């Protein structure tokens, strides 16, 4: 069922969610902001992935006073992500899958998470969600919508989503012309949301790549880690100490990146001392090893790792270089 | 709902009851953890020096409800851990990881190959073999850089007396040493000559384990009967932080003990 909703659609669902106890966030150019009603169309994709709003780090996990250790209850406020892009919504489902193996920093948020997904009529040049099978139309979430003129085309994806739409009185079926327009827009968006060569189609070549291939792919990589910090599925975290006095303080978790030099470094040796080894870790984990670990891809095709890379590396350029012979 | 990261990362208290100086930079911490835990040989725990940091340290002793960890001073956290005194309290969580497959070695000869601090996670194996009145023989091949670098010096004699075939070697000749010299991996072929249907557990520097696997293979040993224990940097110890990954493997969860034929694929040896 696809419904038509007027220009007050966002106001109505956001107000309802807030009255139900959710804190409502929407993506913007500047990160996720708390919204109480209408917001303008977010970027494709927004620069900050949703993991950073579900767990803002550094985040305190333990209070320490001398040798007393006090458990810190994680924040469990229900969150609604409104306007989340299809790729990011899919990333949340991937992290749900990862959480079945071992909890992630956002696991405690997943049971009371509401996702209202904004579908993408205009993918960016670095978007390849269609290759990844995660967009540009919503594959997961509770409700999907697309802005159409002054109104919205809305589809419930879960029972929870359907109930919310009923509760705010959205029950007008979309007219035939609107559905046709929607299909045209999505079909065009699918064409735009692909990349050649598609990073997802070259696992064999990636498996066979040599050290020289990775050196070539990483020749512009500075190891800054913006790719994995901006990646919506990267779940690695560090634990650090904070001091509030000589024997008082605590421990915090922070999202981390395997691109950094110290990430794998031990007293005895650093197994990924050189940048090609670190870029390889990031790319191979997303595109190859993730499937073995969790049965899904680790890359949703949002393209942030390339679009936000100061040197235009990321998965798109890296795969292109690695498989070029 | 599954457990949260925060919950799993909260340590319990461990009271240090004794500190045994092993070498110039290595001590064995004897501790009491409450509630009492029953780890298996080959597992590890996260030891927390309050407001300094945590380190993954294997169990070097798990007899009679007493837990021991042997720690070498190599960084910030281990500097604190190696300076502890009886009565001190640290944070502790665990046990984590896959133990040595003791049942695979039951009623068979077991070759234990240890290099340096790599003896620590293998000490509970020796204890268990002795305590269990194991039918199979236990051959310990143990190498150190110099005579003063051997851990558990007093116990080595006791092990010998309890029937363990202890063969020591140091890397280079030393004035105070009249025993074998050379790398510990050089002792493997001879040990294999007398061992019946053996299983092997190996722990030491990564390069030593790589060489050991090569020697076992060359000597005709089935590598599915050889296990090694890998070291990787870890933050959580249970598969959440992502630090210890090698390819698709989480060393903390799928290891730290691995079958040699599997480790070869993972590390490209």
């Amino acid at each position: 069922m696809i419904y038509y909703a007027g220009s007050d659609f966002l106001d109505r669902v956001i107000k309802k969610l807030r009255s139900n106890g959710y804190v409502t966030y929407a993506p913007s150019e500047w990160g996720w902001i708390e919204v109480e009603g209408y917001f303008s169309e977010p970027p494709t994709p927004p620069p900050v992935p949703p993991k950073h709003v579900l767990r803002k780090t550094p985040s305190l996990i333990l209070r320490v006073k001398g040798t007393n250790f006090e458990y810190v209850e994680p924040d469990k406020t229900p969150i609604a992500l409104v306007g989340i892009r299809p790729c990011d919504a899919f990333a949340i489902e991937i992290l749900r899958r990862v959480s079945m193996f071992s909890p992630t920093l956002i696991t405690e948020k997943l049971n009371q998470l509401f996702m209202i997904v904004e579908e993408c009529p205009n993918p960016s040049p670095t978007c390849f969600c269609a290759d990844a099978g995660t967009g540009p139309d919503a594959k997961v979430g509770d409700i999907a919508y697309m802005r159409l003129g002054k109104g919205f085309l809305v589809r419930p994806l879960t029972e929870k989503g359907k109930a919310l739409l009923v509760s705010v009185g959205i029950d007008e079926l979309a007219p035939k012309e609107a559905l046709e327009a929607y299909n045209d827009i999505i079909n065009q968006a699918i064409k735009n949301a692909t990349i050649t060569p598609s990073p997802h189609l070259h696992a064999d070549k990636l498996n066979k790549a040599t050290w020289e291939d990775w050196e070539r792919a990483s020749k512009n990589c500075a190891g800054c880690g913006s790719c994995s910090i901006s990646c919506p599925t990267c779940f690695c975290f560090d634990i650090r100490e904070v001091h509030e006095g000589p024997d008082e303080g605590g421990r915090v978790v922070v999202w981390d990146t395997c691109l950094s030099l110290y990430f794998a470094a031990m007293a005895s040796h650093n197994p990924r001392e050189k940048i090609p080894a670190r870029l390889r870790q990031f790319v191979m984990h997303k595109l190859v090893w993730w499937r073995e670990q969790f049965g899904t891809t680790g890359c949703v095709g949002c393209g942030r790792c390339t679009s936000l890379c100061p040197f235009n590396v990321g998965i798109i350029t890296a795969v292109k270089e690695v498989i070029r012979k | 709902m599954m457990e949260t990261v925060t919950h799993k990362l909260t340590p319990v208290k461990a009271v240090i009851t004794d500190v045994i100086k092993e070498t110039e930079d290595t001590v064995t911490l004897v501790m009491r953890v409450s509630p009492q835990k029953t780890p298996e040989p080959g597992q590890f725990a996260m030891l927390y020096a309050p407001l300094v940091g945590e380190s993954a340290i294997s169990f070097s002793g798990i007899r009679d409800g007493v837990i021991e960890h042997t720690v070498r001073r190599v960084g910030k956290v281990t500097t604190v851990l190696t300076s502890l005194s009886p009565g001190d309290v640290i944070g502790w969580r665990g046990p984590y990881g896959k133990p040595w497959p003791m049942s695979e070695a039951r009623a068979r000869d077991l070759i234990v190959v240890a290099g340096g601090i790599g003896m620590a996670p293998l000490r509970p194996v020796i204890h268990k073999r002795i305590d269990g009145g194991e039918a199979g023989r236990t051959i310990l091949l143990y190498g150190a850089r110099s005579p003063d670098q051997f851990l558990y010096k007093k116990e080595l004699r006791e092990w010998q007396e309890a029937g363990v075939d202890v063969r020591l070697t140091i890397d280079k000749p030393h004035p105070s040493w009249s025993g074998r010299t050379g790398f510990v991996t050089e002792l493997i072929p001879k040990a294999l000559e007398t061992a019946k249907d053996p299983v092997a557990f190996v722990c030491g520097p990564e390069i030593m384990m790589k060489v050991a696997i090569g020697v076992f293979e060359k000597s005709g040993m089935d590598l599915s009967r050889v296990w090694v224990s890998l070291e990787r940097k870890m933050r959580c110890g249970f598969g959440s932080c992502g630090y210890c990954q090698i390819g698709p493997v989480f060393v903390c969860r799928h290891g730290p003990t691995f079958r040699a034929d599997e480790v070869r694929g993972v590390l490209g040896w």
Side-chain angles (χ1 to χ4, degrees), chain A:
Chain A
M1 285 295 181
I2 300 191
Y3 300 95
Y4 179 80
S7 59
D8 62 349
F9 164 67
L10 289 173
D11 288 320
R12 281 155 77 180
V13 290
I14 289 172
K15 284 198 172 77
K16 185 71 190 175
L17 283 168
R18 291 179 76 82
S19 74
N20 288 348
Y22 286 93
V23 180
T24 44
Y25 287 95
S28 79
E29 288 286 358
W30 308 279
W32 292 78
I33 47 174
E34 192 176 339
V35 289
E36 293 180 10
Y38 181 87
F39 56 89
S40 54
E41 184 175 349
T44 45
V48 179
K51 67 182 188 185
H52 290 291
V53 70
L54 295 179
R55 175 77 84 150
K56 294 172 189 165
T57 72
S59 156
L60 192 70
I61 54 153
L62 188 75
R63 272 190 204 89
V64 179
K65 225 176 201 178
T67 51
N68 284 315
F69 314 122
E70 191 194 327
Y71 167 72
V72 177
E73 186 68 37
D75 175 49
K76 285 182 180 159
T77 317
I79 283 186
L81 301 176
V82 188
I84 184 172
R85 291 295 189 180
C87 53
D88 281 345
F90 205 95
I92 297 287
E93 294 311 314
I94 288 177
L95 288 177
R96 200 187 293 276
R97 190 91 173 231
V98 174
S99 299
M100 287 158 66
F101 172 74
S102 197
T104 70
L105 291 189
I106 68 164
T107 296
E108 58 262 32
K109 290 289 194 190
L110 295 177
N111 264 7
Q112 286 182 286
L113 180 65
F114 207 106
M115 292 198 286
I116 302 187
V117 186
E118 175 148 353
E119 298 182 309
C120 294
N122 299 304
S124 294
T126 48
C127 287
F128 55 106
C129 57
D131 293 336
T134 66
D137 49 330
K139 311 292 184 194
V140 294
D142 295 300
I143 296 171
Y145 70 88
M146 180 181 276
R147 293 172 201 250
L148 203 66
K150 285 200 172 139
F152 295 81
L153 282 187
V154 182
R155 4 179 227 135
L157 301 174
T158 61
E159 287 302 317
K160 206 165 82 172
K162 200 184 279 178
L164 181 75
L165 292 180
V166 168
S167 73
V168 297
I170 290 171
D171 55 6
E172 181 190 339
L173 287 179
K176 200 170 154 239
E177 312 83 72
L179 293 180
E180 281 169 9
Y182 171 82
N183 284 333
D184 288 348
I185 292 169
I186 288 296
N187 285 333
Q188 188 55 45
I190 289 171
K191 284 183 197 150
N192 293 341
T194 62
I195 291 273
T196 308
S198 170
H200 282 90
L201 298 177
H202 300 282
D204 283 354
K205 282 183 183 168
L206 289 171
N207 266 324
K208 287 181 192 140
T210 62
W211 177 254
E212 288 70 32
D213 295 330
W214 288 103
E215 271 188 327
R216 190 171 63 244
S218 64
K219 67 178 188 299
N220 292 332
C221 174
C224 73
S226 75
C227 47
S228 49
I229 292 298
S230 66
C231 174
T233 66
C234 272
F235 57 79
C236 290
F237 64 86
D238 191 9
I239 310 170
R240 296 180 191 164
E241 311 299 313
V242 286
H243 299 96
E244 289 162 0
D247 61 354
E248 206 171 317
R251 313 198 78 204
V252 293
V253 286
V254 285
W255 294 110
D256 206 352
T257 165
C258 58
L259 270 293
S260 90
L261 173 62
Y262 77 91
F263 187 86
M266 294 170 284
S268 57
H269 70 296
N270 184 351
R272 295 193 290 273
E273 193 186 350
K274 297 273 190 329
I275 284 184
R278 281 181 261 147
L279 183 65
R280 175 176 179 269
Q281 171 69 27
F282 174 72
V283 174
M284 291 295 286
H285 190 210
K286 296 283 132 178
L287 297 175
V288 180
W289 300 328
W290 203 290
R291 282 190 190 282
E292 293 178 48
Q293 291 175 327
F294 310 114
T296 70
T297 174
C299 171
V300 295
C302 71
R304 288 184 183 98
C305 55
T306 299
S307 64
L308 296 175
C309 174
F311 307 104
N312 191 32
V313 187
I315 276 186
I316 297 172
T317 317
V319 171
K320 196 168 151 191
E321 282 299 315
V322 166
I323 67 174
R324 181 167 68 88
K325 276 279 160 79

Side-chain angles (χ1 to χ4, degrees), chain B residues 252-263:
Chain B
C252 65
R253 285 275 293 269
H254 302 119
T257 61
F258 291 93
R259 243 170 56 187
D261 53 342
E262 290 166 347
V263 107

Side-chain angles (χ1 to χ4, degrees), chain B residues 39-45 57-62 95-102 120-126 128 201 203 228-230 234 251-252 255-258:
Chain B
E40 300 283 327
Q43 290 189 298
F44 65 94
I57 309 282
S58 63
F59 294 95
S60 63
I62 47 177
Y96 299 122
K98 221 173 70 190
W100 294 109
M102 295 300 290
L122 289 165
R123 180 172 172 243
V125 172
I126 304 280
K128 211 159 184 173
F201 297 167
C203 188
V228 301
S229 180
L230 294 184
M234 292 171 190
V251 172
C252 65
T257 61
F258 291 93

Side-chain angles (χ1 to χ4, degrees), chain B:
Chain B
M1 189 69 193
M2 58 196 87
E3 270 187 311
T4 66
V5 168
T6 320
H7 185 253
K8 296 186 80 159
L9 287 173
T10 303
V12 298
K13 285 186 187 190
V15 182
I16 308 296
T17 54
D18 200 4
V19 179
I20 300 152
K21 193 173 160 78
E22 302 286 354
T23 73
E24 184 263 319
D25 61 2
T26 305
V27 300
T28 295
L29 301 171
V30 186
M31 59 186 77
R32 213 176 47 242
V33 174
S34 53
Q36 198 175 318
K37 306 275 179 168
T38 49
E40 300 283 327
Q43 290 189 298
F44 65 94
M46 298 301 292
L47 271 54
Y48 178 48
L51 299 175
V52 178
E54 261 178 338
S55 277
I57 309 282
S58 63
F59 294 95
S60 63
I62 47 177
R63 269 173 162 169
D64 310 322
V66 174
I67 280 172
E68 291 173 84
H69 292 282
T70 300
V71 184
R72 186 161 58 138
R73 189 179 67 237
V74 288
K76 233 167 36 176
V77 175
T78 50
T79 296
V80 176
L81 295 177
T82 49
S83 330
L84 293 169
S85 307
D88 286 346
V89 174
I90 59 169
W92 190 99
R93 48 189 187 86
Y96 299 122
K98 221 173 70 190
W100 294 109
M102 295 300 290
S103 57
E104 294 282 338
R106 189 160 299 142
R108 282 183 172 142
D109 287 358
L110 173 67
I111 302 176
V112 174
V113 189
I117 190 84
M119 186 64 233
L122 289 165
R123 180 172 172 243
V125 172
I126 304 280
H127 286 169
K128 211 159 184 173
R129 294 281 286 191
I130 293 172
D131 296 349
E134 184 55 56
R137 277 203 310 150
T138 306
I139 306 171
L140 170 62
L141 314 178
Y142 180 16
R145 264 175 317 187
S146 56
D148 59 336
Q149 293 296 309
F150 284 108
L151 310 174
Y152 322 122
K153 290 184 194 76
K154 263 192 242 157
E155 266 182 50
L156 290 174
R157 205 175 302 270
E158 292 167 20
W159 294 350
Q160 185 86 49
E161 283 159 11
V164 177
D165 183 349
V166 180
R167 306 181 190 180
L168 307 179
T169 179
I170 61 168
D171 290 357
K172 277 180 267 176
H174 191 278
S176 70
W177 184 255
S178 56
R180 295 180 196 82
T181 56
F183 294 120
V184 66
T185 47
E186 294 163 16
L187 307 183
I188 292 171
K190 200 157 178 210
L192 278 173
E193 279 173 20
T194 57
K196 278 198 304 279
D197 195 23
V199 164
F201 297 167
V202 186
C203 188
E206 212 160 288
I207 181 69
M208 167 266 192
M209 294 192 282
K210 183 180 175 179
V211 171
I213 291 174
V215 174
F216 275 116
E217 187 180 42
K218 228 171 143 187
S219 310
M221 176 111 167
D222 178 356
L223 290 189
S224 69
R225 303 276 290 275
V226 177
W227 277 265
V228 301
S229 180
L230 294 184
E231 183 197 12
R232 278 296 178 274
K233 186 160 159 183
M234 292 171 190
R235 285 300 193 233
C236 69
F238 47 79
S240 283
C241 76
Y243 262 61
C244 67
Q245 291 176 89
I246 311 173
V249 163
F250 287 81
V251 172
C252 65
R253 285 275 293 269
H254 302 119
T257 61
F258 291 93
R259 243 170 56 187
D261 53 342
E262 290 166 347
V263 107
R264 277 198 145 174
V266 169
L267 282 170
W269 283 355

